[in-house]
Amino acid sequence: MPIKSFLPALLLAATSLSFARPGTALADEGMWTFDHLPKAQLEKAYHFKPSAEWISHVVQSSARLAAGCSASFVSGDGLVMTNHHCANACLSALSDKSHDYFSNGFFSSGVAQEPQCPGMELDRLDGITDVTAQVAQATQGKHDAAYTQAMQEVESRLTKECVHNDGAHWRCDFVTLYHGGQTALYRYRRYQDVRMVMAPEQNIAFFGGDPDNFNYPRYDIDLSMLRVFDNGKPVHTPFLQFDAKGPQAGDLVFTSGNPGRTQRSLPASALAFQRDISNPAIIAMLNSQEAALWQYSRESDAHRQEAENTLFHVQNSLKAYSGIEEALLTSGIVPKREQEDRALQGWIDADPARRKEYGQPYAKVDAAIAVQKQVFKNNLALTMLFHGIGENALVLVEGATQRAKPDAQRRAGFHEAELSEIEAELGARTPFHPELETMTLALGLTKMRQILGEDDSQVKLALGNATPDERAAELVKGTKLGDPAARLALWKGGQKAIAASTDPLIVLVRALHPSYEAMHKKLEDQVQNPMRQGQGDIARAQFARAKAENKLDALYPDATFSPRLSFGTVKGWNQDGKAIAPFTDFAGMYRHATGSDPFKLPQSWTEAKPRLTLSTHLDFVSTNDIVGGNSGSPVIDRAGHAVGLIFDGNLPSLAGDLYYDIETNRAVATDTSAIMAALRDVYHEDKLADELLHGHL
Amino acid sequence: MPIKSFLPALLLAATSLSFARPGTALADEGMWTFDHLPKAQLEKAYHFKPSAEWISHVVQSSARLAAGCSASFVSGDGLVMTNHHCANACLSALSDKSHDYFSNGFFSSGVAQEPQCPGMELDRLDGITDVTAQVAQATQGKHDAAYTQAMQEVESRLTKECVHNDGAHWRCDFVTLYHGGQTALYRYRRYQDVRMVMAPEQNIAFFGGDPDNFNYPRYDIDLSMLRVFDNGKPVHTPFLQFDAKGPQAGDLVFTSGNPGRTQRSLPASALAFQRDISNPAIIAMLNSQEAALWQYSRESDAHRQEAENTLFHVQNSLKAYSGIEEALLTSGIVPKREQEDRALQGWIDADPARRKEYGQPYAKVDAAIAVQKQVFKNNLALTMLFHGIGENALVLVEGATQRAKPDAQRRAGFHEAELSEIEAELGARTPFHPELETMTLALGLTKMRQILGEDDSQVKLALGNATPDERAAELVKGTKLGDPAARLALWKGGQKAIAASTDPLIVLVRALHPSYEAMHKKLEDQVQNPMRQGQGDIARAQFARAKAENKLDALYPDATFSPRLSFGTVKGWNQDGKAIAPFTDFAGMYRHATGSDPFKLPQSWTEAKPRLTLSTHLDFVSTNDIVGGNSGSPVIDRAGHAVGLIFDGNLPSLAGDLYYDIETNRAVATDTSAIMAALRDVYHEDKLADELLHGHL
């Protein structure tokens, strides 16, 4: 399922380029910012002209879940539609020994009874401001550490001004588009009181489980309904009218969501780094995590329940990374990109003015990749260690250090305006499972030693003379970080509290922090920033070239986990010479139900069979260009109504991070007609169904 | 450690080319057959001229363990030296709830008390016969299925004649060298009564464990001593005199062993298949097996003991495959090979007579690779399923089918002369652990479904409507194949017994057998044989070219798990600019002992410290060209004495499958001086030490 990948931001920072870069859109390709929609293309291909009202309505009805998903308002009383797998963490957190909401579903008995999802944040786009000029002015002529600091300062200043000292209600993200070709401030209305309304059973939300994940035909209702509250009351916002009929084959449909990250014109050397160095290592780690969790889950029902959510995320990431790696190895994309890179450098070299303006950007990128290669193993090892509860400890130690600096000098993620999100996460009553944490930490320590060798000074600090198992057991037994109150106390105590702490996890992270800090600085100064500059130069050259060739309208920026619109057609595809139809129906679902997990339907669905019209559309595919982060995006028709709910892409779409191919890439959605039938005929949730149809409680 | 890889022969048949091919040796490169030693090179580089007696003495003192290792006779009373990790399976099989010989070591109290190793076979080379002409005559003008059958017939006939109806004492292997450029019959004296004499604790044999595997400096005594019996008495053979002083830096040393498989001049398309398709998939499977076994081992001491041997083999293979994949991705070997391939094809194309003689061999190989790609997923899925006890079931069903055919039409491995090895394995009292087998089978079924999809007909046959866990539990609970007697009864009962069996594992394999058979036939006819022919043509062209260029003396065949001699120098290397010394000593070992696994020394060694000379050499490296299968090889000096015991290669040597680099490839051995000190000062095994020094009991 296309949610953002399960690897801490730390590693992403090193193995990927979290900056965007222009691509040239063909056919239905493109993830368009709402202030630069491909209106000419839409009119030409689909005879559709979105009005300013249509656009504004879609923007205001769309939402982002800060943890990595998309969503939409589907009633005027704060009702939000997203995926079941986007609410996994909430369902697990609300569960206890006698209630397994994740597996068995959740149905609130009324608005007053809807329970809050711990730590969940939802953001709704309020406005976009272009700040390209301010950024250019602030960073003019700066390089390396000076450039990092200038960027931090301007980001800190602009986001601070934008939030207006009201971080509880507003959030401003500094979004670098077209690799620095453009920088925008995205201002969101921030909601941190999100409650659980309804979720079906995991067995229908994720029918077919990991074997069917990223496959099609599919038979899932990957749905959850949330409600956003403000000041203790449901909020009132624009919303998408729910269309209970769903779309037809050939219909033009839109998705409004937050694709996490694409690298549609990453230089060949960076692609080769992923293919040859980082992806094989990441896939190996994910495979190990998956199999360890798999066996852990086999040990008891309690273990299964504890590990379920993490296992899902790991398996999802594993499929995603493996799909991308397969594409890198077999699609010929790397040599193709090499030619494109050479062509652009040739275009630059052909003119003295261009040579002066853009220089040798690919050489800059290559130099950054060379440093990334040096640092990669260390980065991977620390990433494996700072998993699970270790990640909390890192946030606390790093947070104390960063907050001791003036806002302008802090690392991204720790600016004043961003602290409330961290606090909400640290204070969330997410369940703490000592056995699972011990396993995670033992695996992390084992892998760390495997990667760096036992003579490495960090490994010696982390392990001492103990085995990974002994050390993990000792750390988990001794730590108080499983308790949200203890985490918040350390957070609030800042550097003094961290320095004085005897919590063994804090002591460990404190010891490792200097080398972590040195690595991070090297990554920022010698990898991310030169990469950003090199890619910025490339992006500006691409811009100039597109302009010269009159192709500027077809440029869209790489995904940046910010609101985007994509368009496409409800349409199947051909796979190994076999036509795959666009729709599945309830009849197909019942045919695939073997009675065994993950092909076992919940009892509610077995019983409801006689009441259902079996030809009702269940899932469908369309040519919309989506990637991870788009999970939970509404599928919207010309009228601006919700006709579906994105929850996956097909296997060929896994390469969507790198390129889009209209022949095979497909977005996978649940049909609104299936959602309506589920609410009425399976769950007897007529009140909720009525709210969707009428647009209010 | 360089033992043969842990993947069933089934998969190896598909993903690799188990045929040899000539390479051109430089410096110390080369694994030479004993009938074609590089005498001129040896004399030139080392001023050493091996006499016929020297050669014959080395051949007759060397041995091969049929399960995948090398060994040597070190006394005239059948005493054999090999690695601890080559005797793992025996130590585990001899253990019970109150004796963990694998972990705690084993010391026999006398010759009469030495227990037999279940299923262990040792072979000693008796003679080599060139049968190239017979093979050429039998296969003349044949292709595809006809070629397969002709090869099977000639192999069957020649090996049968060679064994002289005495398969209990003789074994004849059909060895294809230089990719069919040469075929030889290797006749071995076969010994199936091999007994355990001595093994140190696992913690000294494998000090540093998986983290240190393939690393250097190392501090291991990876030793076991066996004794070969015949007619209930120790055998008397030539043997290597044990040199208790060990070698010096710069010494010329030889290794006599059985390197398993190299692919030193595999065409680029086949390397690319490994790099892009098969290795990533195999590594993913091994990672999954490793982590599942890791977590299984954490559950209890009993589980740890059950899984230990398998976990070791999986981790060892994982490092080996990962190392090869890293080399394929980053060394530039594939484009380099592409150029070499193009050069040879160019040499062929340049002359009409050559064109007629060798044709387009690379196109032949490419066509075979294309078929291999089609079959690969199915092959991998079945390999995952036929693991553990599933492999026994496959051997029984497949064996019944094959034995029903005339010997000449049987598949390799099932010829009359080979059956006693299978019987010995089926009848071996190897321990059966239901929980571990259930996990292995559940993982196999899970991966099979993941690879092929739930709509695949084989997956439906294997799983029915059950989950992998339910099905695995049911199969393991219902099967009698854990009992050697039941296995032998089914084996002896042949097709009738297999057809009548209600054993659920036999029922399952019987159901899958037709599709397995079809896949296997496709692999043989459309992959292995065209590949063999294509590579044969390439090899003959290389021969002809080498001859024309007067370089014939420098050619050696790829490894084929048959006896080879390699030569080199005791010498360190430079790693990332740091000089690695050739020797380690006891002092270094004690410095690295943290007290925690796998850096925890056994009590015997902690106590012995005051009695040991700490500067005694422990391990050393040399430039000898070795790969998996060489484990347990003796290191031999000019005088023909044993000065070391090969047990590993360094990390760069993992690419030795594909190429040898004298700058970085190193063989890792235990020094005989350390072995002598261990026997006398740690274990007080003076009788054994005396046998080594005096050459008899």
Side-chain angles (χ1 to χ4, degrees):
Chain A
M1 303 180 177
I3 54 176
K4 274 172 76 194
S5 290
F6 182 72
L7 270 182
L10 165 65
L11 187 61
L12 285 177
T15 63
S16 77
L17 314 167
S18 47
F19 323 111
R21 182 175 165 176
T24 305
L26 296 165
D28 297 345
E29 179 177 349
M31 300 157 171
W32 304 90
T33 57
F34 279 95
D35 55 357
H36 172 54
L37 294 181
K39 291 179 191 165
Q41 273 176 257
L42 269 172
E43 193 169 358
K44 194 174 160 202
Y46 291 102
H47 312 291
F48 180 73
K49 271 175 105 161
S51 65
E53 292 72 32
W54 189 94
I55 297 169
S56 149
H57 174 76
V58 168
V59 168
Q60 293 184 60
S61 305
S62 302
R64 183 178 77 163
L65 297 178
C69 275
S70 300
S72 60
F73 286 92
V74 284
S75 96
D77 291 316
L79 190 65
V80 162
M81 174 172 79
T82 188
N83 291 142
H84 186 275
H85 74 266
C86 293
N88 272 355
C90 173
L91 292 166
S92 291
L94 296 175
S95 298
D96 53 34
K97 273 185 188 154
S98 45
H99 299 90
D100 180 0
Y101 299 127
F102 175 79
S103 301
N104 304 327
F106 176 88
F107 303 92
S108 167
S109 50
V111 176
Q113 285 74 43
E114 290 162 2
Q116 198 178 340
C117 287
M120 188 181 272
E121 171 176 327
L122 180 141
D123 304 317
R124 194 165 64 86
L125 185 62
D126 182 67
I128 305 173
T129 312
D130 190 318
V131 293
T132 313
Q134 289 98 309
V135 171
Q137 198 183 0
T139 57
Q140 184 87 42
K142 303 241 162 74
H143 295 281
D144 299 333
Y147 180 88
T148 307
Q149 200 183 333
M151 277 299 283
Q152 281 178 357
E153 276 169 9
V154 68
E155 175 171 355
S156 159
R157 181 166 53 79
L158 292 175
T159 52
K160 206 169 161 184
E161 286 167 16
C162 169
V163 166
H164 279 309
N165 288 323
D166 186 8
H169 291 97
W170 298 99
R171 169 187 183 129
C172 291
D173 288 357
F174 198 71
V175 181
T176 306
L177 299 163
Y178 302 103
H179 285 257
Q182 190 184 333
T183 309
L185 261 181
Y186 274 61
R187 179 178 157 103
Y188 299 90
R189 182 65 168 82
R190 157 182 272 170
Y191 301 101
Q192 291 182 310
D193 183 357
V194 184
R195 306 190 187 177
M196 178 55 65
V197 177
M198 172 268 176
E201 304 90 339
Q202 162 77 349
N203 279 358
I204 183 68
F206 197 37
F207 182 75
D210 179 62
D212 260 6
N213 194 13
F214 295 110
N215 276 332
Y216 199 80
R218 281 290 275 288
Y219 309 92
D220 292 4
I221 299 190
D222 192 352
L223 166 77
S224 69
M225 296 282 191
L226 309 167
R227 196 181 302 278
V228 176
F229 283 70
D230 196 27
N231 280 324
K233 293 197 176 127
V235 294
H236 306 294
T237 69
F239 65 96
L240 301 175
Q241 174 60 46
F242 194 87
D243 180 329
K245 296 186 312 297
Q248 298 301 312
D251 277 3
L252 165 67
V253 287
F254 300 88
T255 54
S256 168
N258 302 273
R261 186 175 59 106
T262 55
Q263 312 183 81
R264 293 273 165 97
S265 44
L266 199 63
S269 59
L271 289 180
F273 171 76
Q274 287 190 22
R275 180 191 62 188
D276 301 338
I277 313 269
S278 69
N279 282 355
I282 291 169
I283 290 167
M285 294 301 133
L286 288 169
N287 258 313
S288 296
Q289 288 176 333
E290 188 215 13
L293 287 164
W294 175 83
Q295 176 60 13
Y296 184 84
S297 301
R298 294 180 72 240
E299 290 161 7
S300 67
D301 275 350
H303 278 197
R304 187 191 50 70
Q305 198 177 329
E306 287 173 18
E308 203 154 29
N309 189 23
T310 311
L311 181 57
F312 160 77
H313 280 90
V314 168
Q315 288 181 325
N316 194 60
S317 294
L318 183 54
K319 275 211 175 177
Y321 272 95
S322 303
I324 290 171
E325 181 67 357
E326 193 181 326
L328 282 170
L329 285 168
T330 62
S331 73
I333 179 81
V334 182
K336 182 168 170 276
R337 188 62 46 83
E338 249 167 39
Q339 291 185 341
E340 292 165 1
D341 293 354
R342 226 175 287 133
L344 189 69
Q345 186 65 56
W347 182 84
I348 295 169
D349 292 345
D351 180 280
R354 290 183 213 144
R355 278 204 297 277
K356 185 159 180 246
E357 179 70 23
Y358 312 111
Q360 298 285 327
Y362 293 101
K364 234 181 237 178
V365 169
D366 290 352
I369 295 288
V371 178
Q372 204 172 8
K373 280 183 189 169
Q374 290 166 19
V375 184
F376 177 70
K377 279 192 177 178
N378 205 64
N379 196 0
L380 183 69
L382 290 179
T383 302
M384 284 303 292
L385 184 63
F386 295 141
H387 243 29
I389 193 71
E391 206 179 340
N392 284 134
L394 178 64
V395 166
L396 287 168
V397 173
E398 175 72 356
T401 313
Q402 292 295 324
R403 283 180 300 151
K405 302 181 192 178
D407 195 64
Q409 286 166 32
R410 292 184 201 165
R411 181 161 296 154
F414 292 99
H415 293 299
E416 214 51 50
E418 299 167 306
L419 300 184
S420 71
E421 193 184 352
I422 298 181
E423 267 185 56
E425 265 177 41
L426 289 173
R429 284 191 313 281
T430 43
F432 180 74
H433 306 295
E435 269 189 88
L436 183 59
E437 292 291 348
T438 306
M439 183 191 86
T440 305
L441 206 47
L443 185 63
L445 287 163
T446 302
K447 293 294 170 186
M448 185 195 190
R449 182 175 63 188
Q450 193 180 89
I451 296 163
L452 299 178
E454 76 272 10
D455 285 338
D456 178 84
S457 60
Q458 297 166 103
V459 172
K460 282 183 181 161
L461 278 174
L463 269 183
N465 280 336
T467 66
D469 265 321
E470 289 163 2
R471 186 73 172 118
E474 172 190 301
L475 287 167
V476 172
K477 205 174 163 196
T479 189
K480 297 280 177 288
L481 298 186
D483 172 13
R487 293 195 293 260
L488 282 180
L490 275 166
W491 175 257
K492 284 176 182 147
Q495 273 199 305
K496 208 167 158 185
I498 293 294
S501 173
T502 56
D503 189 290
L505 264 175
I506 297 292
V507 173
L508 168 63
V509 175
R510 220 167 47 203
L512 288 172
H513 197 248
S515 71
Y516 169 82
E517 181 63 25
M519 177 191 78
H520 215 299
K521 203 169 151 36
K522 192 168 184 179
L523 274 173
E524 275 183 357
D525 294 346
Q526 296 178 48
V527 179
Q528 292 174 333
N529 287 329
M531 194 78 102
R532 190 198 301 246
Q533 291 182 355
Q535 293 197 269
D537 293 340
I538 291 167
R540 288 184 305 113
Q542 284 184 321
F543 247 101
R545 193 183 178 192
K547 201 171 175 182
E549 294 170 359
N550 215 11
K551 289 178 183 163
L552 208 51
D553 261 11
L555 279 188
Y556 65 94
D558 265 328
T560 48
F561 196 47
S562 57
R564 303 292 179 93
L565 191 76
S566 78
F567 61 90
T569 307
V570 176
K571 193 180 171 182
W573 81 100
N574 268 284
Q575 193 173 280
D576 304 326
K578 203 178 133 198
I580 310 287
F583 288 98
T584 62
D585 59 21
F586 285 148
M589 175 189 77
Y590 284 112
R591 263 201 315 278
H592 276 77
T594 62
S596 294
D597 272 333
F599 298 95
K600 180 180 182 167
L601 284 172
Q603 206 184 336
S604 58
W605 282 85
T606 321
E607 288 174 2
K609 191 173 178 186
R611 294 194 296 276
L612 291 166
T613 306
L614 294 180
S615 60
T616 305
H617 285 168
L618 174 45
D619 293 340
F620 66 87
V621 288
S622 68
T623 61
N624 294 61
D625 187 2
I626 63 156
V627 294
N630 267 114
S631 275
S633 298
V635 183
I636 302 168
D637 66 8
R638 287 171 189 250
H641 296 169
V643 293
L645 170 62
I646 292 289
F647 72 96
D648 207 356
N650 65 353
L651 277 170
S653 81
L654 286 169
D657 202 22
L658 306 172
Y659 59 88
Y660 170 88
D661 178 359
I662 194 171
E663 294 301 321
T664 55
N665 275 42
R666 289 296 177 273
V668 181
T670 298
D671 198 292
T672 45
S673 61
I675 293 175
M676 192 47 71
L679 290 177
R680 291 223 189 272
D681 300 331
V682 181
Y683 301 118
H684 311 294
E685 291 280 332
D686 288 307
K687 201 153 173 284
L688 199 54
D690 289 343
E691 184 179 352
L692 286 172
L693 292 185
H694 305 141
H696 56 79
L697 272 164
Chain B
M1 302 180 178
I3 54 175
K4 274 173 75 194
S5 290
F6 182 70
L7 268 182
L10 167 65
L11 189 62
L12 287 178
T15 63
S16 76
L17 312 168
S18 46
F19 324 110
R21 185 176 162 174
T24 305
L26 297 165
D28 296 345
E29 179 177 350
M31 299 156 171
W32 304 90
T33 56
F34 279 94
D35 54 356
H36 172 55
L37 294 182
K39 293 179 190 167
Q41 273 175 256
L42 270 172
E43 191 168 1
K44 194 173 162 202
Y46 291 101
H47 312 291
F48 180 73
K49 270 174 108 163
S51 65
E53 292 69 34
W54 189 95
I55 297 170
S56 151
H57 174 75
V58 168
V59 168
Q60 292 184 61
S61 306
S62 301
R64 183 177 77 164
L65 296 178
C69 275
S70 298
S72 59
F73 286 91
V74 283
S75 96
D77 290 316
L79 190 66
V80 163
M81 173 172 80
T82 187
N83 290 143
H84 186 275
H85 74 267
C86 294
N88 272 355
C90 174
L91 292 166
S92 291
L94 295 176
S95 297
D96 54 33
K97 273 182 189 155
S98 46
H99 300 90
D100 181 358
Y101 298 126
F102 175 79
S103 302
N104 304 329
F106 176 89
F107 303 92
S108 168
S109 49
V111 176
Q113 285 74 43
E114 290 163 1
Q116 198 178 340
C117 287
M120 187 181 271
E121 171 176 327
L122 181 141
D123 303 318
R124 194 165 63 88
L125 184 61
D126 182 67
I128 305 173
T129 313
D130 191 319
V131 293
T132 312
Q134 287 99 311
V135 171
Q137 197 183 1
T139 57
Q140 183 87 41
K142 301 241 163 75
H143 296 281
D144 300 331
Y147 180 89
T148 307
Q149 200 183 331
M151 278 299 282
Q152 281 178 356
E153 276 169 9
V154 68
E155 175 170 357
S156 159
R157 181 167 51 81
L158 292 175
T159 51
K160 206 169 160 185
E161 285 167 16
C162 170
V163 165
H164 279 310
N165 288 322
D166 187 10
H169 291 97
W170 299 98
R171 168 185 184 133
C172 291
D173 288 357
F174 198 70
V175 182
T176 306
L177 299 163
Y178 302 103
H179 285 259
Q182 190 183 333
T183 308
L185 261 182
Y186 274 60
R187 178 179 158 105
Y188 299 91
R189 182 64 168 83
R190 159 181 271 168
Y191 299 101
Q192 291 182 311
D193 183 358
V194 184
R195 306 190 186 176
M196 177 57 64
V197 176
M198 172 269 176
E201 303 89 340
Q202 163 76 348
N203 278 0
I204 184 66
F206 197 38
F207 182 75
D210 180 62
D212 260 5
N213 195 14
F214 294 111
N215 278 331
Y216 199 81
R218 280 289 277 290
Y219 309 91
D220 293 3
I221 299 191
D222 192 352
L223 165 76
S224 69
M225 295 281 190
L226 309 169
R227 194 180 307 275
V228 177
F229 283 69
D230 197 26
N231 280 325
K233 292 198 176 125
V235 294
H236 305 294
T237 69
F239 65 94
L240 301 176
Q241 174 61 45
F242 194 87
D243 179 330
K245 297 185 311 298
Q248 298 301 311
D251 277 3
L252 165 67
V253 285
F254 300 88
T255 55
S256 167
N258 303 272
R261 187 173 57 105
T262 55
Q263 312 182 79
R264 294 270 166 99
S265 44
L266 200 62
S269 59
L271 289 180
F273 171 77
Q274 287 189 21
R275 180 191 63 188
D276 301 338
I277 313 267
S278 67
N279 281 356
I282 291 168
I283 289 167
M285 294 300 133
L286 288 169
N287 258 312
S288 296
Q289 288 176 332
E290 188 214 13
L293 287 165
W294 175 82
Q295 176 59 13
Y296 184 85
S297 301
R298 294 181 72 241
E299 290 160 7
S300 67
D301 276 350
H303 278 198
R304 186 191 50 69
Q305 199 176 329
E306 287 173 18
E308 204 154 27
N309 188 24
T310 311
L311 181 58
F312 160 76
H313 279 91
V314 169
Q315 288 180 326
N316 194 61
S317 294
L318 183 55
K319 274 211 176 174
Y321 272 95
S322 303
I324 290 171
E325 181 67 357
E326 193 182 324
L328 282 170
L329 285 168
T330 62
S331 72
I333 178 81
V334 181
K336 181 166 169 278
R337 188 63 45 84
E338 250 167 40
Q339 291 184 342
E340 292 165 2
D341 293 353
R342 226 176 286 131
L344 189 67
Q345 185 66 58
W347 182 84
I348 295 170
D349 292 345
D351 180 279
R354 290 184 213 145
R355 279 204 297 276
K356 185 157 179 249
E357 179 71 22
Y358 311 112
Q360 297 286 325
Y362 293 101
K364 233 180 240 179
V365 168
D366 290 353
I369 295 288
V371 178
Q372 205 173 8
K373 279 183 188 169
Q374 290 166 21
V375 185
F376 177 70
K377 279 192 177 178
N378 204 65
N379 195 0
L380 183 68
L382 291 180
T383 302
M384 284 303 291
L385 184 63
F386 296 141
H387 245 27
I389 193 71
E391 205 180 341
N392 284 134
L394 179 63
V395 165
L396 287 170
V397 173
E398 176 72 356
T401 312
Q402 292 295 325
R403 282 180 301 151
K405 301 180 191 178
D407 194 64
Q409 286 165 33
R410 291 185 201 165
R411 181 162 296 154
F414 291 99
H415 292 298
E416 214 51 49
E418 298 167 306
L419 300 184
S420 71
E421 193 183 351
I422 298 181
E423 265 184 57
E425 266 178 40
L426 289 173
R429 283 190 314 281
T430 44
F432 181 74
H433 306 296
E435 269 190 89
L436 183 59
E437 291 291 346
T438 306
M439 184 192 84
T440 305
L441 206 46
L443 185 63
L445 287 163
T446 302
K447 293 295 170 187
M448 185 195 189
R449 182 174 65 188
Q450 193 180 89
I451 296 164
L452 299 178
E454 76 270 12
D455 286 338
D456 177 85
S457 59
Q458 297 165 104
V459 172
K460 283 182 179 161
L461 278 174
L463 267 183
N465 280 337
T467 65
D469 265 322
E470 290 163 1
R471 186 74 173 118
E474 173 189 301
L475 287 167
V476 172
K477 206 174 161 197
T479 190
K480 298 280 178 290
L481 298 187
D483 172 12
R487 293 195 294 260
L488 282 180
L490 274 167
W491 176 258
K492 285 178 180 145
Q495 272 199 306
K496 208 167 158 185
I498 294 294
S501 173
T502 56
D503 190 290
L505 265 175
I506 296 293
V507 172
L508 168 62
V509 175
R510 221 166 45 203
L512 289 171
H513 196 248
S515 72
Y516 169 82
E517 181 62 26
M519 178 192 78
H520 214 298
K521 201 168 155 33
K522 193 169 183 176
L523 275 172
E524 275 183 357
D525 294 346
Q526 296 178 49
V527 179
Q528 292 175 332
N529 287 329
M531 194 79 103
R532 188 199 302 244
Q533 291 181 355
Q535 292 195 269
D537 294 341
I538 292 167
R540 287 184 306 114
Q542 284 182 321
F543 246 101
R545 194 183 177 192
K547 201 171 175 184
E549 294 169 1
N550 215 10
K551 290 178 183 163
L552 207 51
D553 261 10
L555 279 189
Y556 65 94
D558 265 329
T560 48
F561 195 47
S562 57
R564 302 293 179 94
L565 191 77
S566 78
F567 62 90
T569 308
V570 176
K571 192 179 174 185
W573 80 102
N574 267 283
Q575 194 174 278
D576 304 327
K578 203 179 133 199
I580 311 288
F583 289 98
T584 63
D585 59 20
F586 285 148
M589 175 190 76
Y590 284 112
R591 264 201 315 277
H592 276 78
T594 62
S596 294
D597 273 330
F599 298 95
K600 181 180 182 168
L601 285 172
Q603 206 184 336
S604 59
W605 283 84
T606 323
E607 288 174 3
K609 190 174 177 183
R611 293 193 298 274
L612 291 165
T613 307
L614 293 181
S615 61
T616 305
H617 284 168
L618 175 46
D619 293 341
F620 65 87
V621 289
S622 67
T623 61
N624 294 61
D625 187 1
I626 63 154
V627 294
N630 266 114
S631 275
S633 297
V635 182
I636 302 167
D637 66 8
R638 288 172 188 250
H641 296 169
V643 294
L645 170 62
I646 292 289
F647 70 97
D648 207 355
N650 66 353
L651 277 170
S653 81
L654 284 170
D657 201 21
L658 306 171
Y659 59 88
Y660 169 89
D661 178 0
I662 196 172
E663 293 302 321
T664 55
N665 275 42
R666 290 296 179 272
V668 181
T670 298
D671 199 292
T672 45
S673 62
I675 292 175
M676 192 48 71
L679 290 177
R680 292 224 189 272
D681 300 331
V682 182
Y683 300 119
H684 310 295
E685 291 280 332
D686 288 307
K687 200 155 173 282
L688 199 54
D690 289 343
E691 184 179 354
L692 286 171
L693 292 185
H694 305 142
H696 56 78
L697 271 166

